[in-house]
Amino acid sequence: MGQSESGHEYEVGRGSTNRPTPQPKQPVTRETFPTYTRAIVRQIPSSIRHRSEAIQQYEVDCCSWILGGEEFYYSDHDREDPINLRRARRQHARYVRTLRDLGLDVTVLPADESTPDCPFVEDTCVVVGNRALVSRPEGMARRKELNSIENCLRSLGLEVHRIRNMGATLEGGDVVFTGTEFFVGDSTQSNWLGHRILAATFPEYPVHAIPLYPPEFHLKGVACCAAPGVIALAQNSAGRLAWDVIRRKGVSSYQPLWLPDCHAVDCIYVNGTLLHCAQTEGHWNCEVFADKLPDYARVEVPLFELGKVQAALSCCSVLF
């Protein structure tokens, strides 16, 4: 369930209405979780340093605060100096190399200076198996990225759908796929029309909306898959709300993994290996991953330069 513009709850996805008597939930296993063979990434343009969506929103919110508007919050990164492009590109190259080391065939798209946030390819589409949905980001600038992503997906032989509804918004950072169902952020970036198009594109999988409120930007910033059947969660009110929906509405059963460093929750599970924040970005989260997931290989992947514009690990790739 989610919240419509009128404030009423709505249902999304297969089997959401007239459900039979609930059956015991089955756990997600390695067999039901996706196995990835490919990835799409995009290089970093110089324009990201001053024209990123996150920087522009920070400036708008500063003006709102000065004029007596609502309070705003950003991480310490945003108050520091701009992105160091050389370091950001070096960290991004290491990220790409890590994906290749895990056996993925990585397609690297060139940077586009007219689209400063183009490295965050995750937001532009949702891919499951050989089917892709090209999304519709909330920001007008980011919609300029969609044609090149659609062309790339088609060139790789995928069945491609695209959101055409002018009232719909959906960003991939709001979409968590567990292997058996979708959890989607009902956020400032993704709305109920976008959720319904996602459900129509992948009708075999239920879609459940999770309310997400500012300052949270995307659902994956508070909840994401750390392993099959394991949901990494921010140890804050947004994480607790997400877990409540996942626990009650999910068709599968899950185990929560509570992370104290709430700014470094986003992680990626790739074929038995967990990619997560570096010690310098989330020391306590690294301790939790090591303690609670001893049976999985783990790789620390620093990405703190792009973190200055609210980016995280999953933002920088599309896996399928």
Side-chain angles (χ1 to χ4, degrees):
M1 280 187 158
Q3 297 290 324
S4 70
E5 292 180 345
S6 64
H8 295 98
E9 291 187 333
Y10 62 87
E11 298 278 0
V12 186
R14 175 177 63 83
S16 292
T17 59
N18 300 319
R19 289 181 178 174
T21 301
Q23 299 297 314
K25 296 182 179 182
Q26 299 299 313
V28 177
T29 65
R30 294 195 188 203
E31 289 69 32
T32 53
F33 198 84
T35 297
Y36 301 118
T37 59
R38 301 195 67 107
I40 299 173
V41 302
R42 195 161 192 174
Q43 294 174 329
I44 299 173
S46 299
S47 57
I48 196 173
R49 193 166 188 261
H50 297 295
R51 292 171 49 208
S52 170
E53 184 179 62
I55 293 172
Q56 293 175 351
Q57 187 60 47
Y58 175 65
E59 292 172 349
V60 168
D61 288 348
C62 282
C63 291
S64 174
W65 180 76
I66 291 170
L67 295 173
E70 295 183 356
E71 293 183 359
F72 62 93
Y73 167 84
Y74 283 84
S75 72
D76 290 340
H77 285 313
D78 304 300
R79 307 176 194 278
E80 297 173 358
D81 56 335
I83 288 176
N84 180 312
L85 286 171
R86 180 177 296 180
R87 186 182 298 128
R89 287 167 176 155
R90 186 166 62 245
Q91 291 175 352
H92 189 265
R94 176 177 173 178
Y95 176 92
V96 174
R97 187 167 61 250
T98 299
L99 295 177
R100 286 184 168 139
D101 288 345
L102 293 175
L104 301 188
D105 184 355
V106 181
T107 298
V108 181
L109 299 177
D112 179 355
E113 292 295 337
S114 69
T115 57
D117 291 312
C118 65
F120 312 138
V121 289
E122 175 186 55
D123 290 330
T124 63
C125 60
V126 177
V127 183
V128 176
N130 68 342
R131 195 182 321 156
L133 173 64
V134 177
S135 66
R136 190 169 186 271
E138 191 277 334
M140 290 294 295
R142 300 222 55 194
R143 295 175 193 171
K144 298 176 184 177
E145 304 169 28
L146 301 181
N147 287 340
S148 61
I149 289 296
E150 180 175 359
N151 292 338
C152 177
L153 294 168
R154 291 190 185 281
S155 73
L156 295 174
L158 276 70
E159 172 193 327
V160 180
H161 304 256
R162 183 162 175 172
I163 296 179
R164 302 290 183 182
N165 189 311
M166 299 295 287
T169 58
L170 183 73
E171 297 189 3
D174 267 325
V175 181
V176 175
F177 181 61
T178 69
T180 60
E181 57 196 322
F182 290 101
F183 295 100
V184 191
D186 183 9
S187 70
T188 58
Q189 309 306 114
S190 304
N191 64 18
W192 67 278
L193 284 172
H195 296 181
R196 292 197 172 190
I197 295 169
L198 176 71
T201 305
F202 302 97
E204 64 269 46
Y205 299 112
V207 175
H208 313 286
I210 295 179
L212 197 66
Y213 305 104
E216 305 302 341
F217 199 65
H218 284 140
L219 180 59
K220 285 186 179 176
V222 300
C224 57
C225 293
V230 179
I231 306 295
L233 294 150
Q235 197 167 302
N236 59 17
S237 59
R240 288 189 291 272
L241 176 58
W243 174 243
D244 180 63
V245 175
I246 293 169
R247 178 181 56 81
R248 290 188 296 107
K249 299 297 181 181
V251 299
S252 297
S253 65
Y254 303 94
Q255 295 296 319
L257 185 66
W258 297 103
L259 300 177
D261 295 318
C262 297
H263 63 280
V265 170
D266 189 291
C267 55
I268 312 173
Y269 175 84
V270 183
N271 306 340
T273 297
L274 176 64
L275 311 185
H276 61 77
C277 61
Q279 289 276 346
T280 53
E281 299 167 284
H283 168 77
W284 295 112
N285 288 6
C286 293
E287 296 294 318
V288 172
F289 287 132
D291 180 53
K292 301 298 184 182
L293 298 174
D295 296 331
Y296 294 95
R298 295 178 297 103
V299 179
E300 294 184 16
V301 184
L303 210 64
F304 59 84
E305 280 299 323
L306 290 179
K308 292 179 180 179
V309 289
Q310 303 296 306
L313 288 176
S314 70
C315 300
C316 295
S317 61
V318 176
L319 307 180
F320 56 99

